[in-house]
Amino acid sequence: MNFIKRLLKTKKTTVETTLTITSSNGFHLRPIAQFSNEVKQFESTITIVAKDQEVSSTQVNQILSLGLEKGDSFILRAIGDNSSDAIEYLESYFQQLMIDDKEIEEIKQEEESYESISIKGQTIGKGVAIAPIIEYETYERDDNRNGLAFREALKIAKKELYELYIKNKTTDEAQIFLAQQELLSSDIFRYGCTNIKIFRNIIKDEITKLENTRFESRISDYKDIEQRVLSHLGIDTIIELPNTPYILVAEDLLPSEIMRLMDSQVAGVILKKGTPTSHASILLRSFGVPSMIIDDIITPSSEAILDANSGNIVVSPTSNDLEKAYNRQIAFKAFQEIGYQKRFEPAITKDGKKINILANTTDVISAQEAKEKGADGIGLLRTEFLFQENRPTLEEQVLTYAEIMTIFDDITIRTLDVGGDKALPYAPIPKEPNPFLGIRGIRFSLQEQTLFREQLLGIFLAHNQKPLKVMFPMVSSVQEFNQAKTIAKEVAQENNVDISNIKFGIMLEVPCVIFALKEFDKIVDFYSIGTNDLTQYLFATERTHPSLHVSVNSPMLMSALKMIKNNITKPISICGELAGMEEVTSKLLDMGYDTLSVSAKLIPSLKERIRDS
Ligand code: PEP
Ligand code: MG
């Protein structure tokens, strides 16, 4: 009997599907890392079978070594519980990855020539730079006394990369950090990799495998993770850069080195190796650095021209050359400006629907920046940032809110949202084992009403009868909203302030609210969806978790957003990070969302994306 039970227990279902690489970039590191990260949510053992090999689908280095190119197929095999669900989901996720992985178009170069000899090359990022050319030099400094133990250094490096991914989620560089984090999480660095010597040897072997293959440019990612781990062992790579503008010529650059260049006065970059799709190139483009790949000897010079728009490097320019380059530089900046200038124009879809693009802000400076970036208003003022260092007085609060209200007409102020990962040094927030599930947001304000009442008064006094929206964070029941609104009315009454122009709403970020929308719809004036917390609670995945991550494209998350939109009648916006992620913009518009509140720097591009929808 026990034998049969054991047999039944170990009987696993195997489900397979065949997938084909349709992206002309092949199955390269970034989509592999995204795919592997997605696989981790399933319990079944999932493998990839191709070229007579079967490799784990969570091991990016193994998948990478298969060298799958456009047109190649592989079998995706899942063994274990829920394997058909896993295959069904991963199949559609993979297909979407292939669609999203657009080939990087070759940048067309303009016809232009210079009097002096020029060296021709391939453009990475557009622009014209005029500056001295310097060669890239680094050296290692071993300060072992400050180093961590090897396994600890590895752990911290992984955590750092994940945090960089989360922090930059809406940018091109995010996937690079995720890819490196996944590489570092591979089994090769887990079992038997107990000291730096073994670690460096493993890296060396992986690099050898990539040499002279189509995926050679991934070598720099291995070098980069090596440097990152070494730095935590007290071995730093020192880069010496001038503090005046310069054009850097280097064999190749690691992504982390480019991040370091960005803190200096880099005017242009010339790479001797690499491709326009390498991670170095992606970063250079995304930071707007004029840059080229040159397969030739470039000597340092005191004044040179890097004209990436026409693909010319002039090492010894004449005065006419310099004048021409200078004019081309001005003309290019003006051209970029024209695109940027459209940021103040409304975001109207091709079928004529206006989408409100609001900004998430924290204080007067960020509100001014939002105005400058073309925001139509403020969709989320995270007031807790005003309270962070010291407790602001009522007067200070009134002045700050009033100043922000002079910048925009359409403003949504969120009352203090502390607790969870947001501490307030002077507030009596209890220390709890699970702070994200404890006294945070409106729960704190209702329990400890002094700050809440004072803040409401500050907002009411500042608004001066201008239309305004006030919203409460982390509301999870109708009673909480009613209680918060009653307090607001009491504050207004006690202080004789007219709040008839103020609307009250909630952050929709606790999943149980989705099941009481009928009741909420009768009492709130508006909603704003906080997808950061909503995702955290829907998926039981801490938003700051170093290794767990929920895909922005998750069909379950999309269903939740659709369900919300279909069950409310009051105005609604989205203000979590998801609102600014262009890969889901068209899905959100299709669901009927017409107000998105995002980080200011995303506004010009998001508006343009909407105009194209
Ligand atoms: C959210 O949870 O999505 C949100 C916008 O609020 P915060 O990130 O400040 O918690
Ligand atoms: Mg939140």
Side-chain angles (χ1 to χ4, degrees):
M1 192 60 194
N2 274 347
F3 170 71
I4 295 184
K5 264 193 197 160
R6 257 203 328 269
L7 252 187
L8 281 174
K9 240 184 168 170
T10 52
K11 189 170 181 310
K12 310 257 190 199
T13 346
T14 303
V15 182
E16 290 182 353
T17 187
T18 300
L19 301 173
T20 303
I21 321 295
T22 52
S23 158
S24 48
N25 300 327
F27 199 18
H28 63 97
L29 184 56
R30 286 187 306 285
I32 290 177
Q34 285 172 271
F35 189 74
S36 294
N37 195 39
E38 212 58 30
V39 165
K40 287 181 191 152
Q41 63 183 290
F42 296 102
E43 274 183 12
S44 15
T45 307
I46 302 172
T47 55
I48 285 180
V49 187
K51 301 186 177 171
D52 299 327
Q53 293 177 61
E54 180 162 10
V55 302
S56 164
S57 59
T58 55
Q59 298 299 309
V60 285
N61 62 318
Q62 293 180 13
I63 308 174
L64 199 57
S65 67
L66 293 171
L68 295 169
E69 306 246 12
K70 183 177 180 181
D72 287 345
S73 293
F74 64 87
I75 294 169
L76 187 69
R77 178 177 291 159
I79 305 176
D81 295 340
N82 301 327
S83 37
S84 32
D85 289 349
I87 291 291
E88 191 183 326
Y89 174 78
L90 290 171
E91 183 166 13
S92 79
Y93 186 79
F94 176 80
Q95 275 151 4
Q96 193 58 45
L97 269 183
M98 290 292 107
I99 294 168
D100 292 344
D101 189 41
K102 300 214 172 62
E103 192 179 1
I104 293 173
E105 284 172 29
E106 197 178 320
I107 296 178
K108 280 208 181 78
Q109 295 179 337
E110 298 156 12
E111 289 287 326
E112 191 58 80
S113 58
Y114 288 88
E115 283 179 355
S116 201
I117 297 172
S118 66
I119 304 164
K120 285 288 206 184
Q122 199 178 359
T123 301
I124 300 173
K126 285 184 103 172
V128 180
I130 307 164
I133 290 185
I134 62 157
E135 274 181 335
Y136 191 57
E137 276 174 34
T138 62
Y139 61 92
E140 265 185 15
R141 189 178 59 197
D142 188 345
D143 185 7
N144 229 340
R145 279 165 308 156
N146 294 331
L148 297 168
F150 173 70
R151 294 299 311 178
E152 187 60 17
L154 201 67
K155 201 166 128 195
I156 294 197
K158 267 196 274 188
K159 187 164 174 267
E160 218 170 58
L161 283 166
Y162 193 73
E163 282 166 3
L164 278 166
Y165 163 61
I166 297 290
K167 201 169 131 217
N168 295 284
K169 226 166 174 178
T170 51
T171 65
D172 289 347
E173 46 275 27
Q175 296 311 331
I176 300 172
F177 299 126
L178 178 66
Q180 292 193 352
Q181 192 254 354
E182 288 291 332
L183 269 185
L184 206 47
S185 309
S186 306
D187 283 351
I188 45 168
F189 299 123
R190 190 169 300 160
Y191 307 112
C193 181
T194 46
N195 62 45
I196 188 63
K197 196 160 167 241
I198 302 177
F199 176 73
R200 291 189 100 163
N201 280 336
I202 295 172
I203 299 246
K204 216 160 127 192
D205 288 349
E206 292 301 312
I207 288 178
T208 312
K209 282 188 222 159
L210 285 168
E211 268 162 4
N212 302 319
T213 70
R214 185 167 181 271
F215 298 102
E216 194 168 22
S217 55
R218 294 296 86 91
I219 290 175
S220 65
D221 290 299
Y222 276 106
K223 287 189 181 161
D224 214 7
I225 57 175
E226 181 178 32
Q227 248 185 37
R228 193 174 287 278
V229 173
L230 284 175
S231 73
H232 292 297
L233 290 167
I235 307 168
D236 282 319
T237 303
I238 308 295
I239 309 174
E240 267 162 18
L241 297 168
N243 48 16
T244 47
Y246 62 93
I247 297 170
L248 186 74
V249 55
E251 282 293 313
D252 198 1
L253 289 170
L254 307 180
S256 64
E257 290 171 333
I258 292 177
M259 306 296 279
R260 281 154 86 171
L261 295 190
M262 297 323 295
D263 291 331
S264 73
Q265 296 208 42
V266 62
V269 168
I270 302 166
L271 297 181
K272 293 191 182 165
K273 271 193 187 160
T275 62
T277 52
S278 73
H279 285 170
S281 300
I282 291 173
L283 287 175
L284 287 169
R285 254 192 312 276
S286 101
F287 289 127
V289 181
S291 41
M292 285 170 59
I293 300 167
I294 305 275
D295 185 14
D296 208 332
I297 297 165
I298 306 272
T299 46
S301 93
S302 57
E303 192 156 42
I305 298 167
L306 186 164
D307 182 346
N309 293 0
S310 65
N312 287 299
I313 308 271
V314 188
V315 180
S316 313
T318 62
S319 54
N320 282 343
D321 287 340
L322 286 170
E323 195 183 329
K324 182 184 272 185
Y326 182 66
N327 288 335
R328 284 176 59 73
Q329 192 178 48
I330 296 193
F332 181 63
K333 282 188 182 151
F335 171 78
Q336 284 181 311
E337 190 81 349
I338 292 168
Y340 193 60
Q341 270 166 13
K342 278 177 82 182
R343 70 197 186 279
F344 295 119
E345 291 175 23
I348 299 175
T349 61
K350 280 191 172 141
D351 52 11
K353 190 167 176 203
K354 172 159 192 282
I355 308 297
N356 296 310
I357 302 299
L358 311 176
N360 293 345
T361 57
T362 51
D363 51 18
V364 174
I365 303 224
S366 62
Q368 283 161 342
E369 190 202 342
K371 186 81 180 178
E372 210 289 309
K373 290 282 188 309
D376 299 326
I378 293 178
L380 170 65
L381 175 64
R382 288 184 161 105
T383 56
E384 54 278 6
F385 287 88
L386 305 170
F387 286 75
Q388 231 167 25
E389 308 273 299
N390 306 302
R391 180 175 167 174
T393 61
L394 175 65
E395 290 72 24
E396 281 166 345
Q397 288 191 58
V398 175
L399 284 176
T400 305
Y401 302 139
E403 193 170 346
I404 292 173
M405 287 175 210
T406 60
I407 302 173
F408 288 105
D409 290 331
D410 182 0
I411 295 182
T412 303
I413 298 192
R414 178 174 76 184
T415 59
L416 202 58
D417 182 19
V418 291
D421 58 342
K422 294 180 223 167
L424 207 56
Y426 52 87
I429 305 173
K431 278 237 168 318
E432 296 177 294
N434 291 308
F436 277 122
L437 303 178
I439 311 297
R440 59 168 300 205
I442 197 67
R443 297 171 185 173
F444 171 74
S445 292
L446 294 178
Q447 244 184 44
E448 195 358 83
Q449 294 183 9
T450 331
L451 283 173
F452 185 48
R453 285 178 180 266
E454 189 168 273
Q455 180 179 36
L456 286 170
L457 180 58
I459 296 170
F460 297 165
L461 291 174
H463 96 294
N464 204 10
Q465 288 177 36
K466 231 179 125 175
L468 181 71
K469 292 183 214 127
V470 171
M471 73 178 163
F472 305 123
M474 290 294 301
V475 170
S476 56
S477 71
V478 162
Q479 290 74 15
E480 272 173 347
F481 175 77
N482 284 337
Q483 203 186 337
K485 193 164 169 191
T486 305
I487 294 173
K489 281 189 191 154
E490 279 171 17
V491 169
Q493 222 163 31
E494 284 159 12
N495 295 281
N496 218 1
V497 200
D498 178 1
I499 56 166
S500 53
N501 273 336
I502 297 186
K503 296 199 183 313
F504 290 93
I506 60 163
M507 286 285 293
L508 207 167
E509 52 187 347
V510 185
C512 63
V513 172
I514 302 177
F515 304 98
L517 286 173
K518 227 180 180 172
E519 286 74 39
F520 274 103
D521 220 46
K522 289 182 201 145
I523 53 171
V524 302
D525 296 321
F526 68 93
Y527 308 87
S528 187
I529 305 179
T531 50
N532 309 336
D533 277 311
L534 185 65
T535 309
Q536 147 164 282
Y537 297 122
L538 270 175
F539 292 81
T541 299
E542 203 179 288
R543 56 192 278 181
T544 50
H545 197 283
S547 60
L548 299 175
H549 150 73
V550 177
S551 162
V552 62
N553 269 306
S554 158
M556 291 173 276
L557 183 56
M558 290 299 131
S559 299
L561 295 178
K562 204 182 267 178
M563 199 186 285
I564 294 170
K565 186 72 186 76
N566 291 342
N567 283 287
I568 53 139
T569 61
K570 299 286 172 65
I572 188 157
S573 64
I574 304 180
C575 67
E577 297 308 303
L578 177 130
M581 296 189 180
E582 291 185 25
E583 63 261 51
V584 290
T585 307
S586 54
K587 287 188 191 150
L588 301 180
L589 302 190
D590 287 348
M591 288 178 205
Y593 286 99
D594 61 7
T595 305
L596 304 172
S597 188
V598 303
S599 149
K601 68 176 195 293
L602 303 177
I603 292 174
S605 138
L606 183 62
K607 280 189 161 182
E608 205 50 28
R609 170 78 183 75
I610 288 166
R611 291 182 194 117
D612 210 31
S613 301

